[in-house]
Amino acid sequence: MNASAFAAGAALFLAGLAVHVVAWRVRRPRHQALGLLAYFMLPWAAFCVWARARGAGWTPFELAAAGLLDFSLTCAYVQTYPAFQGFSPSFVVVLLLARAPGGLTREELLASVDEGVMLTGRLQDMVDSRLIAERDGLLELTPSGRALVSFFVWMRRVMGLPLGTG
Amino acid sequence: MSETAAATAFLLILAASPVAVLVLHALLSRVLRRLAPGVPTRLVPVLAVAAGAPGLALLVPRLFPPGAEHARAWAAAYGLVVYACLSYCYFHLFSMSESARRIRILYVLFEGGRIPRAEFSSRYGVKDMVFNRLDRLETIGQVERRDGRYFAKGGSVGLIGKVLIGWGKVLGFQPGSMPL
């Protein structure tokens, strides 16, 4: 293990971040999670092709190490991303309370929240991501949505926990 | 073991570390639910990650023998960053199963089958979203209740929220489309 794999992994992540910012400002992809993974891992793939073609002295192990670091940082970013995109309801609650010096009752807080953004927007985002589908006014799981939720149901069972409350 | 073989084994173990954390988490979750049911559910994955870290730390001197101090130091730093990032992902994944809107929406459709859009909010509406979170924030001390009114407290969640809004603006998200 050496410094170059470490530095390359970090630099490739930063390159992916730059590509992501530019791409998002120009046109956000419809399926944002997959788009993020693609944009972030693209610099690594290009780097591998360049390093092998040029015979630049990078061993397959060093390229894999750089890729794993890049991938780990990317996954951490992707996990945080919904908070930038869909806005976390927990932050909404805290920020609404912070803006009310006299505090808010439960009902006042509820009245301050926009249902269109909190629920309708999220449902539409999930339709766009093809996790759920809407046919004849009915919402249903798509095969990928069913696979995703099955994983979480399995995870909760393995932990011996009931389903989460959202 | 050659240095390349050791380093390759190290990478594979690091890449598989979330699976090890999941197994530790499942064991801890089941044991603590019986012996100490008061332990917060979200603390358990943190304990699982912490329990896995010493194993990883012990692996470095075993795979990188004395004399390879430079490689050993870089492996330790590299392992720390990758393990921290993957553990952060694992923690988020578990949190999603616990409290994410998207996953709750999927649970509702998983259990209810096909549901008319107009009826969806009666199964999981904004009221559930806001009140569940208000209660959780009160439990972790980010919000306090006095005479039936709620106040922001602490400030770390609010500060993180401002950072998230700032980065959202960099990415071109319009604050006007946010529920504030």
Side-chain angles (χ1 to χ4, degrees), chain A residues 96-105 108, chain B residues 146-152:
Chain A
L96 285 170
L97 291 176
R99 288 179 182 187
L104 294 171
T105 63
E108 286 167 345
Chain B
R146 294 197 301 267
D147 302 325
R149 301 186 77 79
Y150 289 86
F151 298 84

Side-chain angles (χ1 to χ4, degrees), chain A residues 1-3 6 17 20-21 24-25 28 32 61 64-65 68-69 72-73 75-77 79-87 89-99 101-106 108-110 112-115 117-120 122-124 126-127 131-132 134-135 137-141 145-146 148-166, chain B residues 3-4 7-8 10-11 14-15 22 25-26 29-30 33 41 64 70-71 74-75 77-78 81-82 85-86 88-90 92-94 96-107 109-111 113-117 120-121 124-127 129-137 142-143 145 148-152 157-158 160-162 164-165 167-173 177-180:
Chain A
M1 181 68 64
N2 56 38
F6 205 149
L17 191 65
H20 154 60
V21 170
W24 254 239
R25 292 196 72 92
R28 279 194 290 274
Q32 298 189 39
F61 163 74
L68 180 61
L69 179 61
S72 307
L73 291 165
C75 286
Y77 181 83
Q79 284 284 18
T80 313
Y81 176 79
F84 315 131
Q85 174 216 14
F87 214 64
S90 295
F91 292 128
V92 171
V93 168
V94 172
L95 292 174
L96 285 170
L97 291 176
R99 288 179 182 187
L104 294 171
T105 63
R106 287 171 91 87
E108 286 167 345
L109 182 63
L110 188 60
S112 312
V113 172
D114 181 348
E115 177 168 351
V117 177
M118 294 280 268
L119 180 62
T120 316
R122 178 51 87 189
L123 283 172
Q124 191 55 47
M126 293 175 73
V127 171
L131 291 171
I132 59 178
E134 185 168 14
R135 291 190 192 93
L138 293 169
L139 294 170
E140 62 182 349
L141 291 173
R146 184 167 295 280
L148 183 65
V149 74
S150 297
F151 167 76
F152 282 106
V153 170
W154 170 82
M155 189 185 201
R156 302 292 293 187
R157 281 189 189 143
V158 166
M159 304 297 158
L161 297 170
L163 296 184
T165 54
Chain B
E3 191 181 322
T4 305
T8 305
F10 187 58
L11 279 195
L14 271 177
L22 186 140
H25 182 188
S29 176
R30 288 177 174 275
R33 272 172 75 82
T41 312
F64 300 92
H70 195 65
W74 279 111
Y78 179 92
V81 174
V82 172
C85 286
L86 294 179
Y88 171 82
C89 291
Y90 178 81
H92 264 274
L93 200 68
F94 176 71
M96 282 168 72
S97 82
E98 184 85 1
S99 61
R101 269 179 302 172
R102 281 162 295 163
I103 306 304
R104 174 65 194 270
I105 289 168
L106 293 177
Y107 287 154
L109 292 171
F110 182 74
E111 291 182 328
R114 302 174 81 200
I115 297 174
R117 188 187 266 259
F120 195 89
S121 61
Y124 179 51
V126 172
K127 190 176 176 182
M129 285 180 195
V130 173
F131 291 171
N132 285 347
R133 281 159 180 81
L134 192 58
D135 294 339
R136 276 200 294 266
L137 287 164
Q142 291 293 323
V143 157
R145 182 172 40 176
R149 301 186 77 79
Y150 289 86
F151 298 84
V157 174
I160 294 167
K162 285 177 184 165
L164 295 177
I165 291 174
W167 186 247
K169 285 180 186 169
V170 171
L171 294 176
F173 291 114
S177 67
M178 294 171 177
L180 289 171

